[in-house]
Coordinates of all heavy atoms in Angstrom, one line a residue:
M180 N 100.1 102.7 119.5 CA 99.7 103.1 118.1 C 100.6 102.4 117.2 O 101.8 102.1 117.4 CB 100.0 104.6 118.0 CG 99.7 105.1 116.6 SD 99.8 106.9 116.2 CE 100.8 107.6 117.4
K181 N 100.0 102.0 116.0 CA 100.7 101.3 115.0 C 100.7 102.1 113.7 O 99.8 102.8 113.4 CB 100.0 100.0 114.7 CG 100.2 98.9 115.7 CD 99.7 97.6 115.2 CE 100.0 96.5 116.3 NZ 99.7 95.2 115.8
L182 N 101.8 102.0 113.0 CA 102.0 102.7 111.7 C 101.7 101.7 110.6 O 102.4 100.6 110.5 CB 103.4 103.2 111.6 CG 103.7 104.0 110.3 CD1 102.8 105.2 110.2 CD2 105.1 104.5 110.3
V183 N 100.7 101.9 109.8 CA 100.3 101.0 108.7 C 100.5 101.8 107.4 O 100.1 102.9 107.2 CB 98.8 100.6 108.9 CG1 98.4 99.7 107.7 CG2 98.6 99.9 110.2
C184 N 101.0 101.1 106.4 CA 101.3 101.6 105.1 C 100.4 100.9 104.1 O 100.3 99.7 104.1 CB 102.7 101.4 104.7 SG 103.1 101.9 103.0
G185 N 99.8 101.6 103.2 CA 99.0 101.1 102.1 C 99.9 101.2 100.8 O 100.4 102.3 100.5
M186 N 100.0 100.1 100.1 CA 100.9 100.1 98.9 C 100.1 99.5 97.7 O 100.0 98.3 97.6 CB 102.2 99.3 99.2 CG 103.1 99.2 98.0 SD 104.6 98.2 98.3 CE 105.5 99.2 99.4
P187 N 99.6 100.3 96.8 CA 99.0 99.8 95.6 C 100.1 99.4 94.7 O 101.1 100.1 94.5 CB 98.2 101.0 95.1 CG 98.8 102.2 95.6 CD 99.4 101.8 96.9
V188 N 99.9 98.2 94.1 CA 101.0 97.7 93.1 C 100.3 97.2 91.9 O 99.2 96.7 91.9 CB 101.8 96.6 93.8 CG1 102.6 97.1 94.9 CG2 101.0 95.4 94.2
R189 N 101.0 97.4 90.8 CA 100.5 96.9 89.5 C 101.7 96.6 88.6 O 102.5 97.5 88.3 CB 99.6 97.9 88.8 CG 99.0 97.3 87.5 CD 97.9 98.3 87.0 NE 97.2 97.6 85.9 CZ 96.2 98.2 85.3 NH1 95.7 99.3 85.7 NH2 95.6 97.6 84.2
N190 N 101.8 95.3 88.2 CA 103.0 94.9 87.4 C 104.3 95.4 88.0 O 105.1 96.0 87.4 CB 102.8 95.3 86.0 CG 101.6 94.6 85.3 OD1 101.3 93.5 85.7 ND2 101.0 95.3 84.4
S191 N 104.5 95.1 89.3 CA 105.6 95.6 90.1 C 106.6 94.5 90.5 O 107.4 94.7 91.4 CB 105.1 96.3 91.3 OG 104.3 97.4 91.0
A192 N 106.5 93.4 89.8 CA 107.3 92.2 90.2 C 108.8 92.6 90.2 O 109.6 92.1 91.0 CB 107.1 91.1 89.2
W193 N 109.2 93.5 89.3 CA 110.7 93.8 89.2 C 111.2 94.5 90.5 O 112.4 94.5 90.7 CB 110.9 94.7 88.0 CG 110.2 96.0 88.0 CD1 108.9 96.3 87.8 CD2 110.8 97.3 88.4 NE1 108.7 97.6 87.9 CE2 109.8 98.3 88.3 CE3 112.1 97.6 88.8 CZ2 110.1 99.6 88.6 CZ3 112.3 99.0 89.1 CH2 111.3 99.9 89.0
V194 N 110.3 95.1 91.3 CA 110.8 95.9 92.4 C 110.1 95.6 93.7 O 110.5 96.0 94.8 CB 110.7 97.4 92.1 CG1 109.3 97.9 92.1 CG2 111.5 98.3 93.1
L195 N 109.0 94.9 93.7 CA 108.1 94.7 94.8 C 108.8 94.0 96.0 O 108.6 94.5 97.1 CB 106.9 93.9 94.4 CG 105.9 93.6 95.5 CD1 105.4 94.8 96.2 CD2 104.7 92.7 95.0
G196 N 109.5 93.0 95.8 CA 110.2 92.3 96.9 C 111.0 93.2 97.8 O 110.9 93.2 99.0
L197 N 111.9 93.9 97.1 CA 112.8 94.8 97.8 C 112.0 96.0 98.4 O 112.3 96.4 99.6 CB 113.9 95.3 96.9 CG 114.9 94.3 96.4 CD1 115.9 94.9 95.4 CD2 115.6 93.7 97.6
S198 N 111.1 96.6 97.7 CA 110.3 97.7 98.2 C 109.5 97.4 99.4 O 109.5 98.1 100.4 CB 109.4 98.3 97.1 OG 110.1 98.7 96.0
A199 N 108.8 96.3 99.4 CA 108.0 95.9 100.5 C 108.8 95.6 101.7 O 108.5 96.0 102.9 CB 107.1 94.7 100.1
R200 N 109.9 94.9 101.6 CA 110.8 94.6 102.7 C 111.4 95.9 103.3 O 111.5 96.0 104.5 CB 111.9 93.6 102.3 CG 111.4 92.2 102.1 CD 112.5 91.3 101.6 NE 111.9 89.9 101.5 CZ 111.4 89.4 100.4 NH1 111.3 90.2 99.3 NH2 110.9 88.2 100.4
A201 N 111.7 96.8 102.5 CA 112.2 98.1 103.0 C 111.2 98.9 103.8 O 111.4 99.4 104.8 CB 112.7 99.0 101.8
V202 N 109.9 98.9 103.2 CA 108.8 99.5 104.0 C 108.6 98.8 105.3 O 108.4 99.5 106.3 CB 107.5 99.5 103.1 CG1 106.3 99.9 103.9 CG2 107.7 100.4 101.9
L203 N 108.7 97.5 105.3 CA 108.4 96.8 106.6 C 109.5 97.0 107.6 O 109.3 96.7 108.8 CB 108.3 95.3 106.3 CG 106.9 94.9 105.6 CD1 107.0 93.5 105.0 CD2 105.8 95.0 106.7
D204 N 110.6 97.6 107.2 CA 111.6 98.0 108.2 C 111.1 99.2 109.0 O 111.6 99.5 110.1 CB 113.0 98.4 107.6 CG 113.8 97.1 107.2 OD1 113.5 96.0 107.7 OD2 114.7 97.3 106.3
W205 N 110.2 99.9 108.5 CA 109.7 101.2 109.1 C 108.3 101.2 109.6 O 107.9 102.1 110.4 CB 109.8 102.3 108.0 CG 111.3 102.6 107.7 CD1 111.9 102.1 106.6 CD2 112.2 103.3 108.4 NE1 113.2 102.5 106.6 CE2 113.4 103.3 107.7 CE3 112.2 104.1 109.5 CZ2 114.6 103.9 108.1 CZ3 113.3 104.8 110.0 CH2 114.5 104.7 109.3
V206 N 107.5 100.3 109.2 CA 106.1 100.3 109.6 C 105.7 99.0 110.3 O 106.5 98.0 110.2 CB 105.1 100.4 108.4 CG1 105.4 101.7 107.7 CG2 105.2 99.2 107.4
D207 N 104.6 99.0 111.0 CA 104.2 97.8 111.8 C 103.4 96.9 110.9 O 103.4 95.7 111.1 CB 103.3 98.3 112.9 CG 104.0 99.1 113.9 OD1 105.1 98.6 114.4 OD2 103.6 100.2 114.2
A208 N 102.7 97.4 109.9 CA 101.9 96.6 109.0 C 101.9 97.2 107.6 O 102.0 98.4 107.4 CB 100.5 96.4 109.5
L209 N 101.7 96.3 106.6 CA 101.6 96.7 105.2 C 100.4 96.2 104.6 O 100.1 95.0 104.7 CB 102.9 96.3 104.5 CG 103.0 96.5 103.0 CD1 103.0 98.0 102.7 CD2 104.2 95.9 102.4
V210 N 99.6 97.0 103.9 CA 98.5 96.6 103.1 C 98.8 96.6 101.6 O 99.1 97.7 101.1 CB 97.2 97.4 103.4 CG1 96.0 97.0 102.5 CG2 96.9 97.4 104.9
L211 N 98.9 95.5 101.0 CA 99.2 95.4 99.6 C 97.9 95.3 98.8 O 97.1 94.4 99.0 CB 100.1 94.2 99.3 CG 101.5 94.2 99.8 CD1 102.1 92.8 99.6 CD2 102.3 95.3 99.1
L212 N 97.7 96.2 97.8 CA 96.6 96.1 96.9 C 97.1 95.8 95.5 O 97.7 96.7 94.9 CB 95.8 97.4 96.8 CG 94.7 97.5 95.7 CD1 93.7 96.4 95.9 CD2 94.0 98.8 95.7
N213 N 97.0 94.6 95.1 CA 97.4 94.2 93.8 C 96.3 94.5 92.8 O 95.3 93.9 92.7 CB 97.7 92.7 93.7 CG 98.2 92.2 92.4 OD1 98.5 93.0 91.5 ND2 98.3 90.9 92.3
H214 N 96.6 95.5 91.9 CA 95.6 96.0 91.0 C 95.8 95.5 89.6 O 96.6 96.1 88.8 CB 95.6 97.6 91.0 CG 94.6 98.2 90.2 ND1 94.9 98.9 89.1 CD2 93.2 98.1 90.2 CE1 93.8 99.3 88.5 NE2 92.8 98.8 89.1
A215 N 95.1 94.4 89.3 CA 95.1 93.9 87.9 C 96.5 93.6 87.3 O 96.7 93.9 86.1 CB 94.3 94.8 87.0
S216 N 97.4 93.1 88.1 CA 98.7 92.8 87.6 C 98.7 91.6 86.6 O 97.9 90.7 86.8 CB 99.7 92.5 88.7 OG 99.9 93.6 89.5
T217 N 99.6 91.7 85.6 CA 99.7 90.6 84.6 C 101.0 89.9 84.7 O 101.3 89.1 83.8 CB 99.4 91.1 83.2 OG1 100.3 92.2 82.9 CG2 97.9 91.6 83.1
D218 N 101.9 90.3 85.6 CA 103.2 89.7 85.7 C 103.2 88.9 87.0 O 102.2 88.4 87.5 CB 104.3 90.8 85.7 CG 104.2 91.8 86.9 OD1 103.3 91.6 87.7 OD2 105.1 92.6 87.0
A219 N 104.4 88.7 87.6 CA 104.5 87.8 88.8 C 104.2 88.5 90.1 O 104.6 88.0 91.1 CB 105.9 87.2 88.8
T220 N 103.6 89.7 90.0 CA 103.4 90.5 91.2 C 102.6 89.7 92.3 O 102.9 89.7 93.5 CB 102.6 91.8 90.9 OG1 103.4 92.6 90.1 CG2 102.2 92.5 92.1
R221 N 101.5 88.9 91.8 CA 100.7 88.2 92.8 C 101.6 87.1 93.5 O 101.5 86.9 94.7 CB 99.6 87.5 92.1 CG 98.7 86.8 93.0 CD 97.5 86.1 92.3 NE 96.5 85.7 93.2 CZ 96.6 84.6 94.1 NH1 97.7 83.9 94.1 NH2 95.6 84.3 94.9
D222 N 102.5 86.4 92.8 CA 103.3 85.4 93.4 C 104.2 86.0 94.4 O 104.5 85.4 95.5 CB 104.2 84.7 92.3 CG 103.3 84.0 91.3 OD1 102.2 83.6 91.6 OD2 103.8 83.9 90.1
I223 N 104.8 87.2 94.1 CA 105.7 87.8 95.1 C 104.9 88.3 96.3 O 105.4 88.1 97.4 CB 106.4 89.0 94.4 CG1 107.3 88.5 93.3 CG2 107.2 89.8 95.4 CD1 107.9 89.5 92.4
C224 N 103.7 88.8 96.1 CA 102.8 89.2 97.2 C 102.6 88.0 98.1 O 102.6 88.1 99.4 CB 101.5 89.7 96.8 SG 101.6 91.4 96.0
M225 N 102.3 86.8 97.5 CA 102.0 85.6 98.3 C 103.3 85.2 99.1 O 103.2 84.7 100.3 CB 101.6 84.4 97.4 CG 100.2 84.7 96.8 SD 98.9 84.8 98.0 CE 98.6 86.5 98.1
E226 N 104.5 85.3 98.5 CA 105.7 85.0 99.2 C 105.9 85.9 100.4 O 106.3 85.5 101.5 CB 106.9 85.2 98.3 CG 107.0 84.1 97.2 CD 108.1 84.4 96.2 OE1 109.0 85.2 96.5 OE2 108.1 83.8 95.2
L227 N 105.6 87.2 100.2 CA 105.7 88.2 101.3 C 104.7 87.9 102.4 O 105.1 88.0 103.6 CB 105.5 89.6 100.8 CG 106.6 90.2 99.9 CD1 106.1 91.4 99.1 CD2 107.8 90.5 100.7
V228 N 103.5 87.5 102.1 CA 102.5 87.2 103.1 C 103.0 86.0 103.9 O 102.8 86.0 105.1 CB 101.1 86.9 102.4 CG1 100.2 86.2 103.4 CG2 100.5 88.1 101.8
K229 N 103.5 85.0 103.3 CA 104.1 83.8 104.0 C 105.2 84.2 104.9 O 105.3 83.8 106.0 CB 104.5 82.7 103.0 CG 103.4 82.0 102.4 CD 103.9 81.0 101.4 CE 102.8 80.3 100.6 NZ 103.3 79.4 99.6
E230 N 106.1 85.1 104.4 CA 107.3 85.5 105.1 C 107.0 86.4 106.3 O 107.6 86.2 107.4 CB 108.2 86.2 104.2 CG 109.6 86.6 104.8 CD 110.5 87.2 103.8 OE1 110.3 87.1 102.6 OE2 111.4 87.9 104.3
Y231 N 106.0 87.3 106.2 CA 105.7 88.3 107.2 C 104.4 88.0 107.9 O 104.0 88.9 108.7 CB 105.8 89.7 106.6 CG 107.2 90.1 106.3 CD1 107.7 89.9 105.0 CD2 108.0 90.6 107.2 CE1 109.0 90.3 104.7 CE2 109.3 91.0 106.9 CZ 109.8 90.8 105.6 OH 111.1 91.2 105.3
K232 N 103.7 86.9 107.6 CA 102.5 86.5 108.2 C 101.5 87.6 108.7 O 100.8 88.1 107.9 CB 102.8 85.5 109.4 CG 103.5 84.2 108.9 CD 103.8 83.3 110.0 CE 104.5 82.1 109.7 NZ 105.5 82.0 108.7
D233 N 101.6 87.9 109.9 CA 100.6 88.9 110.5 C 100.8 90.3 110.2 O 100.1 91.2 110.7 CB 100.5 88.7 112.0 CG 100.1 87.3 112.4 OD1 99.3 86.7 111.6 OD2 100.5 86.8 113.5
R234 N 101.9 90.6 109.5 CA 102.2 92.0 109.2 C 101.7 92.5 107.9 O 101.8 93.7 107.6 CB 103.7 92.3 109.4 CG 104.2 92.1 110.8 CD 105.6 92.4 110.9 NE 105.9 93.8 110.6 CZ 107.1 94.2 110.2 NH1 108.1 93.4 110.1 NH2 107.3 95.5 109.9
I235 N 101.3 91.6 107.0 CA 100.8 92.0 105.7 C 99.4 91.6 105.5 O 99.0 90.5 105.7 CB 101.7 91.4 104.6 CG1 103.1 92.0 104.7 CG2 101.1 91.6 103.2 CD1 104.1 91.5 103.6
V236 N 98.6 92.5 104.9 CA 97.2 92.3 104.5 C 97.3 92.4 103.0 O 97.8 93.3 102.4 CB 96.2 93.3 105.1 CG1 94.9 93.1 104.5 CG2 96.2 93.2 106.6
Y237 N 96.8 91.3 102.3 CA 96.8 91.3 100.8 C 95.4 91.4 100.3 O 94.5 90.7 100.7 CB 97.4 90.0 100.4 CG 97.4 89.8 98.9 CD1 98.3 90.5 98.1 CD2 96.5 88.9 98.3 CE1 98.2 90.4 96.7 CE2 96.5 88.8 96.9 CZ 97.3 89.5 96.1 OH 97.3 89.4 94.7
C238 N 95.2 92.3 99.3 CA 94.0 92.5 98.7 C 94.2 92.5 97.2 O 95.3 92.9 96.7 CB 93.4 93.9 99.0 SG 93.1 94.2 100.7
E239 N 93.3 92.0 96.4 CA 93.5 91.9 95.0 C 92.3 92.4 94.2 O 91.1 92.2 94.6 CB 93.6 90.4 94.6 CG 94.1 90.2 93.2 CD 94.6 88.8 92.9 OE1 95.1 88.1 93.9 OE2 94.5 88.4 91.8
E240 N 92.5 93.2 93.2 CA 91.5 93.9 92.4 C 91.7 93.5 91.0 O 92.8 93.9 90.4 CB 91.5 95.4 92.6 CG 90.5 96.1 91.7 CD 89.1 95.8 92.0 OE1 88.7 95.7 93.2 OE2 88.4 95.5 91.0
A241 N 90.8 92.7 90.4 CA 91.0 92.2 89.0 C 90.6 93.3 87.9 O 91.1 93.2 86.8 CB 90.3 90.9 88.8
N242 N 89.7 94.2 88.3 CA 89.2 95.1 87.3 C 90.3 96.2 87.0 O 90.8 96.8 87.9 CB 88.0 95.9 87.9 CG 87.4 96.9 87.0 OD1 87.9 97.2 85.9 ND2 86.2 97.4 87.4
P243 N 90.7 96.3 85.8 CA 91.8 97.2 85.4 C 91.5 98.7 85.6 O 92.4 99.5 85.6 CB 92.1 96.9 84.0 CG 90.9 96.2 83.4 CD 90.2 95.6 84.6
L244 N 90.2 99.0 85.8 CA 89.8 100.4 86.0 C 90.2 100.8 87.4 O 89.8 100.2 88.4 CB 88.3 100.5 85.8 CG 87.7 102.0 86.0 CD1 88.3 102.9 84.9 CD2 86.2 101.9 85.9
W245 N 90.9 101.9 87.5 CA 91.4 102.4 88.8 C 90.2 103.3 89.4 O 89.9 104.4 88.9 CB 92.6 103.2 88.7 CG 93.1 103.8 90.0 CD1 93.1 105.1 90.4 CD2 93.7 103.1 91.0 NE1 93.6 105.2 91.6 CE2 94.0 104.0 92.1 CE3 94.0 101.7 91.2 CZ2 94.6 103.6 93.3 CZ3 94.6 101.3 92.4 CH2 94.9 102.3 93.4
E246 N 89.7 102.8 90.5 CA 88.6 103.6 91.2 C 89.2 103.9 92.6 O 89.0 103.2 93.6 CB 87.4 102.7 91.3 CG 86.8 102.3 90.0 CD 85.6 101.4 90.2 OE1 84.5 101.9 90.4 OE2 85.9 100.1 90.1
E247 N 89.9 105.0 92.7 CA 90.6 105.3 93.9 C 89.8 105.4 95.1 O 90.2 104.9 96.2 CB 91.4 106.6 93.7 CG 92.3 107.0 94.9 CD 93.5 107.8 94.6 OE1 93.7 108.1 93.4 OE2 94.2 108.1 95.5
R248 N 88.7 106.0 95.1 CA 87.8 106.1 96.3 C 87.5 104.7 96.8 O 87.5 104.5 98.0 CB 86.6 107.0 96.1 CG 86.9 108.4 96.0 CD 85.6 109.2 95.9 NE 85.9 110.6 95.8 CZ 85.0 111.5 95.8 NH1 83.7 111.2 95.9 NH2 85.3 112.8 95.7
R249 N 87.0 103.9 95.9 CA 86.6 102.5 96.4 C 87.8 101.7 96.9 O 87.8 101.0 97.9 CB 85.9 101.8 95.2 CG 85.3 100.5 95.6 CD 84.5 99.8 94.5 NE 85.3 99.5 93.4 CZ 86.1 98.4 93.3 NH1 86.2 97.6 94.3 NH2 86.8 98.1 92.2
H250 N 89.0 101.9 96.2 CA 90.2 101.1 96.6 C 90.7 101.6 97.9 O 91.2 100.8 98.7 CB 91.3 101.3 95.5 CG 90.9 100.6 94.3 ND1 91.5 101.0 93.1 CD2 90.0 99.6 93.9 CE1 91.0 100.2 92.1 NE2 90.1 99.4 92.6
R251 N 90.5 102.8 98.3 CA 91.0 103.3 99.6 C 90.2 102.7 100.7 O 90.6 102.7 101.8 CB 90.9 104.8 99.6 CG 92.0 105.5 98.8 CD 91.9 107.0 98.9 NE 92.9 107.6 98.1 CZ 94.0 108.1 98.6 NH1 94.2 108.1 99.9 NH2 94.9 108.7 97.9
Q252 N 88.9 102.3 100.5 CA 88.1 101.8 101.5 C 88.5 100.4 101.8 O 88.3 99.8 102.8 CB 86.6 101.8 101.1 CG 86.1 103.2 100.9 CD 86.2 104.0 102.2 OE1 86.0 103.5 103.3 NE2 86.6 105.3 102.1

């Protein structure tokens, strides 16, 4: 069994690097959903994907409207 964490992020550049690394100490995989960020969040996500390769799934949503049911799928 694997433990997977879903982490929606939006304009989280200031904390994302440390938060994601802390989560990865506890889970087997991390799903990052970048929701319409306008800061460096996407760049940090890409760095994390390179660093942790098979442990991170990256998804991006450009529409600023939060549609929780659809995003959870």
Side-chain angles (χ1 to χ4, degrees):
M180 178 174 24
K181 288 189 174 186
L182 183 60
V183 179
C184 174
M186 180 184 285
V188 294
R189 184 171 187 175
N190 295 332
S191 302
W193 66 279
V194 71
L195 178 58
L197 293 174
S198 297
R200 287 178 178 88
V202 168
L203 285 163
D204 283 343
W205 295 95
V206 301
D207 298 303
L209 176 61
V210 178
L211 289 171
L212 171 62
N213 181 7
H214 181 245
S216 292
T217 58
D218 64 358
T220 296
R221 185 181 194 287
D222 298 332
I223 295 169
C224 287
M225 293 296 102
E226 290 174 15
L227 289 164
V228 168
K229 287 179 187 176
E230 185 177 342
Y231 290 94
K232 296 179 180 39
D233 297 330
R234 293 185 60 203
I235 294 182
V236 174
Y237 176 75
C238 305
E239 191 166 333
E240 176 60 50
N242 183 351
L244 179 64
W245 180 253
E246 300 175 82
E247 184 152 355
R248 286 187 182 186
R249 189 173 65 77
H250 293 159
R251 286 179 181 261
Q252 297 301 318

